Amino acid sequence: MKPPVRIVVTGGAGQIAYSLVFRIASGELFGSDQPIILHLLELPSIIKHLNGVGMELNDCAYPLLYDIIITDDVKTAFTDVEYAFLVGAAPRTKDMQRADLIKANAEIFKVQGKALNNYANSKVKVVVVGNPANTNAYIAMRCAPDLAPEQFTAMTRLDHNRLLHQLANKLQVNVAEINNVIIWGNHSASQYTDIRYATTNVDQNWFINDLMPCVQQRGTSIIEIRGKSSAASAAYAAISHMRDWVKGTDQWVSMAIPSDGSYGIKEGLIYSYPVTIDNGIISIVQGLEIDEFSRKQLDKNQQELELEREAVLTNLTGF
Ligand code: NAD
Ligand code: LMR
């Protein structure tokens, strides 16, 4: 057996965590030879419920789960962690956009960015799930000057999976037969759901009027129909995101990462790109054609992310 790795999940008593932590503990993230120490962070008022989650984890008697640290203290939560799932944040409700959460959630990512900087393993890999995910990842990255920007990512894998399913369903094929879909930009209703490299076999009207809005609004549809925001699908996507980061990819996946200026996007914005991963190194797929329609979509996402960043700079003190 390998030595255990420390993994933090914030918002440990929330909906997403309730699916995520059991998958991690079962070995779905790193395989059956990798023991795990789970660090679970919650608000002080919710620790009682988190203790219940801890009891259930114990009741699964997972052989890989060496220890569980349940805490409301960020230092304890982030000390020596190698992998961080930043999930804990308020979800939006009906009639809100994800960006409306900036005020409520920005402070959380400032505090946690600093804690990652000060206490985490210096090679920590961070995925932000809590919304607005791209901008929260930007805040955490900016608050962690001793860590490399590349250690911070935000999750657009759920959008990527949603796009895969919708396209496979339209083409009446298995999802495994579809490659090279892309989510560009922001985890928001502006995201550009690019299928140009996956198929040329669909009608442009269907793409513009059905597929794009369906995927862009999928989170809203789930909230309306389920009464709560996506949770199990988000947890599955978070596992896939982190596992691919560590184990590598054999096809394109979408990840929001600090832009290096590729495709004309301003450096430093946390922007979703098509990427491949080898040996823990995330590389943006280069050389894709950006036609006029795509340019507009990419720029729209950039503008939105710049506005979110301005809102943070205005609202967040000590940033
Ligand atoms: P939830 O309300 O069920 O759980 C969130 C938990 O976070 C709560 O238990 C809360 O007490 C905790 N929390 C709040 N502030 C905290 C802090 N400072 N430290 C630690 N814990 C804290 O919400 P959920 O459904 O699990 O969703 C969590 C977040 O993920 C939301 O912001 C949601 O919008 C977002 N989300 C993102 C995606 C994506 O694709 N990126 C998908 C689904 C949901
Ligand atoms: C999602 O895409 O399901 C999440 O971001 C939750 C939301 O607010 O839409």
Side-chain angles (χ1 to χ4, degrees), residues 145-198:
D146 301 333
L147 300 175
E150 296 74 36
Q151 290 173 257
F152 290 84
T153 64
M155 188 174 91
T156 50
R157 185 62 168 267
L158 176 54
D159 310 286
H160 182 101
N161 289 345
R162 288 167 171 164
L163 179 55
L164 267 181
H165 169 78
Q166 293 300 329
L167 189 56
N169 193 42
K170 173 73 175 175
L171 297 174
Q172 287 294 293
V173 297
N174 187 278
V175 282
E177 291 173 53
I178 302 205
N179 290 311
N180 303 343
V181 299
I182 307 167
I183 302 293
W184 298 91
N186 198 4
H187 174 62
S188 76
S190 301
Q191 63 189 246
Y192 174 32
T193 55
D194 187 355
I195 58 167
R196 295 171 302 145
Y197 289 88

Side-chain angles (χ1 to χ4, degrees), residues 106-169:
E107 182 70 27
I108 298 176
F109 293 86
K110 181 176 103 180
V111 171
Q112 295 182 358
K114 287 183 177 170
L116 282 160
N117 188 69
N118 295 340
Y119 310 121
N121 181 292
S122 62
K123 298 272 183 297
V124 64
K125 289 180 162 58
V126 182
V127 56
V128 174
V129 175
N131 278 320
N134 299 51
T135 294
N136 289 338
Y138 175 81
I139 297 169
M141 174 184 82
R142 283 277 307 266
C143 292
D146 301 333
L147 300 175
E150 296 74 36
Q151 290 173 257
F152 290 84
T153 64
M155 188 174 91
T156 50
R157 185 62 168 267
L158 176 54
D159 310 286
H160 182 101
N161 289 345
R162 288 167 171 164
L163 179 55
L164 267 181
H165 169 78
Q166 293 300 329
L167 189 56
N169 193 42

Side-chain angles (χ1 to χ4, degrees), residues 11 14-16 42-43 46 87-91 108 129-131 155 187 230 234:
Q15 291 200 85
I16 295 176
E42 255 301 343
L43 295 174
I46 311 293
V87 181
I108 298 176
V129 175
N131 278 320
M155 188 174 91
H187 174 62
S230 317

Side-chain angles (χ1 to χ4, degrees), residues 212-226:
M212 268 186 77
C214 168
V215 176
Q216 290 170 330
Q217 297 295 337
R218 191 67 165 186
T220 305
S221 306
I222 300 281
I223 292 169
E224 278 169 10
I225 292 164
R226 204 175 83 90

